[in-house]
Short mmCIF file of all heavy atoms in Angstrom, two decimals:
data_model
loop_
_atom_site.label_atom_id
_atom_site.label_comp_id
_atom_site.label_asym_id
_atom_site.label_seq_id
_atom_site.Cartn_x
_atom_site.Cartn_y
_atom_site.Cartn_z
N ASN P 55 114.47 105.53 97.15
CA ASN P 55 115.64 104.79 97.64
C ASN P 55 115.82 103.48 96.88
O ASN P 55 116.35 102.52 97.43
CB ASN P 55 115.49 104.55 99.16
CG ASN P 55 116.83 104.45 99.84
OD1 ASN P 55 117.76 105.19 99.51
ND2 ASN P 55 116.97 103.53 100.76
N PRO P 116 113.58 112.74 101.59
CA PRO P 116 112.62 112.24 100.60
C PRO P 116 112.03 110.91 101.06
O PRO P 116 112.62 110.23 101.89
CB PRO P 116 113.44 112.06 99.33
CG PRO P 116 114.84 112.43 99.65
CD PRO P 116 114.95 112.72 101.10
N GLN P 125 114.59 101.87 107.16
CA GLN P 125 116.02 102.12 107.23
C GLN P 125 116.37 103.12 108.33
O GLN P 125 117.44 103.74 108.28
CB GLN P 125 116.56 102.53 105.88
CG GLN P 125 115.94 103.75 105.28
CD GLN P 125 116.87 104.30 104.22
OE1 GLN P 125 117.91 103.70 103.95
NE2 GLN P 125 116.54 105.41 103.65
N GLY P 128 117.83 108.98 109.05
CA GLY P 128 118.60 109.85 109.95
C GLY P 128 119.22 111.01 109.20
O GLY P 128 119.50 110.89 108.00
N ALA P 129 119.38 112.11 109.91
CA ALA P 129 120.10 113.25 109.34
C ALA P 129 120.34 114.29 110.43
O ALA P 129 119.56 114.38 111.39
CB ALA P 129 119.30 113.89 108.20
N TYR P 130 121.42 115.02 110.29
CA TYR P 130 121.75 116.14 111.18
C TYR P 130 121.61 115.77 112.67
O TYR P 130 120.97 116.48 113.45
CB TYR P 130 120.92 117.39 110.79
CG TYR P 130 121.16 117.68 109.33
CD1 TYR P 130 120.24 117.30 108.36
CD2 TYR P 130 122.40 118.19 108.92
CE1 TYR P 130 120.51 117.46 107.01
CE2 TYR P 130 122.68 118.36 107.57
CZ TYR P 130 121.74 117.98 106.63
OH TYR P 130 122.03 118.14 105.30
N GLY P 131 122.17 114.62 112.99
CA GLY P 131 122.26 114.21 114.39
C GLY P 131 120.99 113.58 114.96
O GLY P 131 120.92 113.29 116.15
N TYR P 163 122.05 101.91 112.34
CA TYR P 163 122.38 102.91 111.33
C TYR P 163 121.84 102.47 109.96
O TYR P 163 122.27 101.47 109.43
CB TYR P 163 123.90 103.13 111.29
CG TYR P 163 124.36 103.96 110.10
CD1 TYR P 163 123.94 105.28 109.95
CD2 TYR P 163 125.19 103.42 109.13
CE1 TYR P 163 124.33 106.02 108.86
CE2 TYR P 163 125.61 104.16 108.05
CZ TYR P 163 125.17 105.46 107.91
OH TYR P 163 125.56 106.19 106.82
N ARG P 164 120.87 103.20 109.47
CA ARG P 164 120.18 102.91 108.19
C ARG P 164 119.77 101.43 108.09
O ARG P 164 119.90 100.80 107.05
CB ARG P 164 121.10 103.23 107.00
CG ARG P 164 121.39 104.69 106.80
CD ARG P 164 120.12 105.47 106.51
NE ARG P 164 120.43 106.77 105.96
CZ ARG P 164 120.77 107.83 106.68
NH1 ARG P 164 120.81 107.76 107.99
NH2 ARG P 164 121.04 108.97 106.09
N TYR P 195 125.00 118.64 115.58
CA TYR P 195 125.61 118.34 114.27
C TYR P 195 126.29 119.60 113.74
O TYR P 195 125.64 120.65 113.59
CB TYR P 195 124.55 117.83 113.30
CG TYR P 195 125.12 117.04 112.13
CD1 TYR P 195 125.45 115.70 112.26
CD2 TYR P 195 125.32 117.65 110.89
CE1 TYR P 195 125.96 114.98 111.20
CE2 TYR P 195 125.84 116.93 109.81
CZ TYR P 195 126.14 115.60 109.98
OH TYR P 195 126.65 114.89 108.91
N ILE P 197 127.48 120.85 110.94
CA ILE P 197 127.02 121.60 109.76
C ILE P 197 125.76 122.43 110.09
O ILE P 197 125.63 123.56 109.67
CB ILE P 197 126.80 120.63 108.58
CG1 ILE P 197 128.17 120.08 108.14
CG2 ILE P 197 126.08 121.30 107.41
CD1 ILE P 197 128.14 119.03 107.05
N ARG P 223 119.90 121.13 103.14
CA ARG P 223 119.65 120.02 102.20
C ARG P 223 119.52 120.53 100.77
O ARG P 223 120.09 119.95 99.84
CB ARG P 223 118.39 119.25 102.59
CG ARG P 223 118.52 118.43 103.86
CD ARG P 223 117.33 117.51 104.03
NE ARG P 223 117.44 116.37 103.15
CZ ARG P 223 117.94 115.19 103.51
NH1 ARG P 223 118.36 115.00 104.74
NH2 ARG P 223 118.01 114.19 102.65
N LYS P 226 122.84 121.31 99.14
CA LYS P 226 123.81 120.23 98.90
C LYS P 226 123.28 119.10 98.04
O LYS P 226 124.04 118.43 97.35
CB LYS P 226 124.19 119.60 100.24
CG LYS P 226 125.17 120.38 101.01
CD LYS P 226 125.75 119.48 102.06
CE LYS P 226 126.82 120.19 102.84
NZ LYS P 226 127.36 119.31 103.86
N LEU P 227 121.98 118.84 98.20
CA LEU P 227 121.45 117.63 97.57
C LEU P 227 120.62 117.98 96.35
O LEU P 227 119.79 118.90 96.40
CB LEU P 227 120.60 116.85 98.59
CG LEU P 227 121.38 116.39 99.83
CD1 LEU P 227 120.45 115.96 100.95
CD2 LEU P 227 122.31 115.23 99.47
N ALA P 236 118.91 109.26 94.19
CA ALA P 236 118.20 108.66 95.32
C ALA P 236 118.88 109.05 96.64
O ALA P 236 119.02 108.24 97.55
CB ALA P 236 118.15 107.15 95.17
N GLY P 237 119.32 110.29 96.74
CA GLY P 237 120.01 110.74 97.96
C GLY P 237 121.32 109.99 98.10
O GLY P 237 121.95 109.61 97.09
N SER P 238 121.73 109.73 99.33
CA SER P 238 122.99 109.01 99.54
C SER P 238 122.90 107.65 98.85
O SER P 238 122.00 106.87 99.15
CB SER P 238 123.21 108.75 101.03
OG SER P 238 123.23 109.95 101.74
N PHE P 240 125.47 105.46 99.03
CA PHE P 240 126.20 104.52 99.90
C PHE P 240 125.97 104.87 101.36
O PHE P 240 125.61 106.00 101.69
CB PHE P 240 127.70 104.59 99.60
CG PHE P 240 128.05 104.27 98.18
CD1 PHE P 240 128.32 105.28 97.27
CD2 PHE P 240 128.11 102.95 97.75
CE1 PHE P 240 128.64 104.98 95.95
CE2 PHE P 240 128.43 102.65 96.43
CZ PHE P 240 128.70 103.67 95.53
N LYS P 241 126.26 103.89 102.20
CA LYS P 241 126.23 104.15 103.64
C LYS P 241 127.61 104.66 104.05
O LYS P 241 128.62 104.33 103.41
CB LYS P 241 125.98 102.86 104.42
CG LYS P 241 124.60 102.30 104.26
CD LYS P 241 124.44 101.16 105.25
CE LYS P 241 123.37 100.22 104.85
NZ LYS P 241 123.18 99.13 105.78
N ASN P 242 127.65 105.43 105.13
CA ASN P 242 128.95 105.79 105.68
C ASN P 242 129.61 104.52 106.22
O ASN P 242 128.95 103.51 106.42
CB ASN P 242 128.79 106.86 106.76
CG ASN P 242 128.44 108.21 106.13
OD1 ASN P 242 128.83 108.49 104.99
ND2 ASN P 242 127.70 109.03 106.85
N PRO P 261 137.30 113.95 108.02
CA PRO P 261 136.21 114.07 108.99
C PRO P 261 135.81 112.70 109.53
O PRO P 261 135.96 111.70 108.83
CB PRO P 261 135.07 114.69 108.18
CG PRO P 261 135.38 114.43 106.75
CD PRO P 261 136.85 114.13 106.62
N PHE P 263 133.03 110.67 112.76
CA PHE P 263 132.07 110.82 113.86
C PHE P 263 132.24 109.62 114.78
O PHE P 263 132.29 108.48 114.30
CB PHE P 263 130.63 110.81 113.32
CG PHE P 263 130.37 111.91 112.32
CD1 PHE P 263 130.60 111.73 110.96
CD2 PHE P 263 129.88 113.13 112.76
CE1 PHE P 263 130.37 112.75 110.04
CE2 PHE P 263 129.64 114.16 111.85
CZ PHE P 263 129.88 113.97 110.49
N LYS P 270 132.73 106.47 112.54
CA LYS P 270 132.07 106.50 111.23
C LYS P 270 132.80 107.50 110.34
O LYS P 270 133.01 108.64 110.72
CB LYS P 270 130.62 106.93 111.44
CG LYS P 270 129.71 106.62 110.30
CD LYS P 270 128.26 106.52 110.75
CE LYS P 270 127.61 107.88 110.84
NZ LYS P 270 126.20 107.81 111.22
N PRO P 272 132.73 109.51 106.76
CA PRO P 272 131.78 109.85 105.69
C PRO P 272 132.22 109.29 104.34
O PRO P 272 133.32 109.59 103.85
CB PRO P 272 131.80 111.38 105.65
CG PRO P 272 132.43 111.81 106.93
CD PRO P 272 133.35 110.70 107.34
N ALA P 273 131.35 108.46 103.77
CA ALA P 273 131.67 107.86 102.47
C ALA P 273 131.86 108.96 101.42
O ALA P 273 132.66 108.81 100.49
CB ALA P 273 130.56 106.90 102.07
N GLY P 274 131.11 110.07 101.57
CA GLY P 274 131.25 111.19 100.62
C GLY P 274 132.68 111.70 100.56
O GLY P 274 133.20 112.02 99.49
N TRP P 275 133.32 111.73 101.70
CA TRP P 275 134.70 112.21 101.76
C TRP P 275 135.64 111.21 101.06
O TRP P 275 136.52 111.59 100.29
CB TRP P 275 135.12 112.41 103.23
CG TRP P 275 136.52 112.92 103.40
CD1 TRP P 275 136.93 114.22 103.37
CD2 TRP P 275 137.69 112.12 103.60
NE1 TRP P 275 138.28 114.28 103.54
CE2 TRP P 275 138.78 113.01 103.68
CE3 TRP P 275 137.93 110.76 103.72
CZ2 TRP P 275 140.08 112.58 103.88
CZ3 TRP P 275 139.23 110.32 103.91
CH2 TRP P 275 140.29 111.23 104.00
N GLU P 278 135.12 111.48 97.36
CA GLU P 278 135.73 112.73 96.86
C GLU P 278 137.25 112.59 96.74
O GLU P 278 137.85 112.98 95.75
CB GLU P 278 135.37 113.89 97.80
CG GLU P 278 135.94 115.21 97.32
CD GLU P 278 135.49 116.41 98.15
OE1 GLU P 278 134.54 116.29 98.95
OE2 GLU P 278 136.13 117.46 98.00
N LYS P 283 134.11 113.25 92.71
CA LYS P 283 133.11 114.31 92.90
C LYS P 283 132.93 115.13 91.62
O LYS P 283 133.91 115.62 91.05
CB LYS P 283 133.55 115.22 94.05
CG LYS P 283 132.43 116.07 94.61
CD LYS P 283 132.88 116.70 95.90
CE LYS P 283 131.79 117.52 96.54
NZ LYS P 283 132.17 117.99 97.87
N ARG P 295 128.20 118.57 94.52
CA ARG P 295 128.24 119.16 95.86
C ARG P 295 128.18 118.12 96.98
O ARG P 295 128.37 118.46 98.15
CB ARG P 295 127.08 120.17 96.03
CG ARG P 295 127.45 121.54 95.48
CD ARG P 295 126.27 122.48 95.48
NE ARG P 295 125.44 122.24 94.31
CZ ARG P 295 124.12 122.19 94.32
NH1 ARG P 295 123.48 122.33 95.46
NH2 ARG P 295 123.44 121.99 93.22
N GLN P 296 127.90 116.87 96.64
CA GLN P 296 127.85 115.81 97.66
C GLN P 296 128.21 114.50 96.94
O GLN P 296 127.40 113.96 96.19
CB GLN P 296 126.47 115.79 98.31
CG GLN P 296 126.09 114.59 99.15
CD GLN P 296 127.05 114.24 100.28
OE1 GLN P 296 128.16 113.78 100.00
NE2 GLN P 296 126.63 114.42 101.52
N ALA P 297 129.43 114.03 97.19
CA ALA P 297 129.95 112.89 96.44
C ALA P 297 129.24 111.58 96.78
O ALA P 297 129.45 110.57 96.11
CB ALA P 297 131.45 112.76 96.69
N LEU P 298 128.40 111.61 97.80
CA LEU P 298 127.68 110.41 98.20
C LEU P 298 126.48 110.15 97.29
O LEU P 298 125.85 109.10 97.35
CB LEU P 298 127.21 110.61 99.65
CG LEU P 298 126.85 109.45 100.53
CD1 LEU P 298 127.91 108.37 100.45
CD2 LEU P 298 126.68 109.91 101.96
N VAL P 299 126.18 111.15 96.47
CA VAL P 299 124.98 111.07 95.63
C VAL P 299 125.36 110.75 94.18
O VAL P 299 126.10 111.50 93.54
CB VAL P 299 124.19 112.40 95.69
CG1 VAL P 299 122.95 112.34 94.82
CG2 VAL P 299 123.81 112.72 97.14
N GLU P 333 123.40 102.15 100.06
CA GLU P 333 122.27 102.45 100.96
C GLU P 333 120.98 102.24 100.18
O GLU P 333 119.95 101.89 100.72
CB GLU P 333 122.39 103.91 101.41
CG GLU P 333 121.63 104.22 102.65
CD GLU P 333 120.78 105.45 102.52
OE1 GLU P 333 121.29 106.55 102.80
OE2 GLU P 333 119.60 105.31 102.11
N1 LIG X 401 132.01 115.27 102.80
C1 LIG X 401 133.05 115.46 101.92
N2 LIG X 401 132.77 115.38 100.58
C2 LIG X 401 131.53 115.17 100.11
C3 LIG X 401 130.48 114.98 101.01
C4 LIG X 401 130.74 115.04 102.37
O1 LIG X 401 134.19 115.66 102.29
O2 LIG X 401 131.36 115.16 98.89
C5 LIG X 401 132.28 115.43 104.23
C6 LIG X 401 131.68 116.75 104.76
O3 LIG X 401 132.56 117.80 104.59
C7 LIG X 401 131.43 116.47 106.21
C8 LIG X 401 131.12 114.98 106.22
O4 LIG X 401 131.60 114.45 104.99
O5 LIG X 401 132.58 116.68 106.96
C9 LIG X 401 129.66 114.69 106.40
O6 LIG X 401 128.91 115.26 105.33
P1 LIG X 401 127.34 115.52 105.41
O7 LIG X 401 127.00 116.28 106.64
O8 LIG X 401 126.89 116.08 104.12
O9 LIG X 401 126.72 114.10 105.68
P2 LIG X 401 127.00 112.63 105.10
O10 LIG X 401 127.57 111.81 106.19
O11 LIG X 401 127.72 112.70 103.82
C10 LIG X 401 124.71 111.75 105.98
C11 LIG X 401 123.52 111.05 105.45
C12 LIG X 401 122.62 111.99 104.66
C13 LIG X 401 122.22 113.11 105.61
C14 LIG X 401 123.48 113.81 106.11
C15 LIG X 401 123.21 114.92 107.08
C16 LIG X 401 124.24 108.75 105.14
C17 LIG X 401 124.52 107.66 104.17
N3 LIG X 401 123.91 109.92 104.62
O12 LIG X 401 125.49 112.15 104.86
O13 LIG X 401 121.46 111.28 104.30
O14 LIG X 401 121.38 114.04 104.97
O15 LIG X 401 124.31 112.84 106.79
O16 LIG X 401 122.98 114.40 108.33
O17 LIG X 401 124.29 108.51 106.35
C18 LIG X 401 120.31 110.07 102.59
O18 LIG X 401 120.24 109.15 103.38
O19 LIG X 401 119.82 110.00 101.43
C19 LIG X 401 120.98 111.30 102.99
C20 LIG X 401 121.14 112.32 102.17
#
Side-chain angles (χ1 to χ4, degrees):
N55 209 39
Q125 58 160 3
Y130 305 101
Y163 169 63
R164 292 298 196 278
Y195 200 82
I197 292 175
R223 290 191 76 95
K226 281 197 176 179
L227 299 165
S238 302
F240 301 101
K241 291 189 203 181
N242 287 330
F263 301 89
K270 198 156 82 178
W275 181 85
E278 181 174 346
K283 198 168 182 173
R295 276 173 278 136
Q296 166 55 290
L298 201 47
V299 180
E333 200 229 271

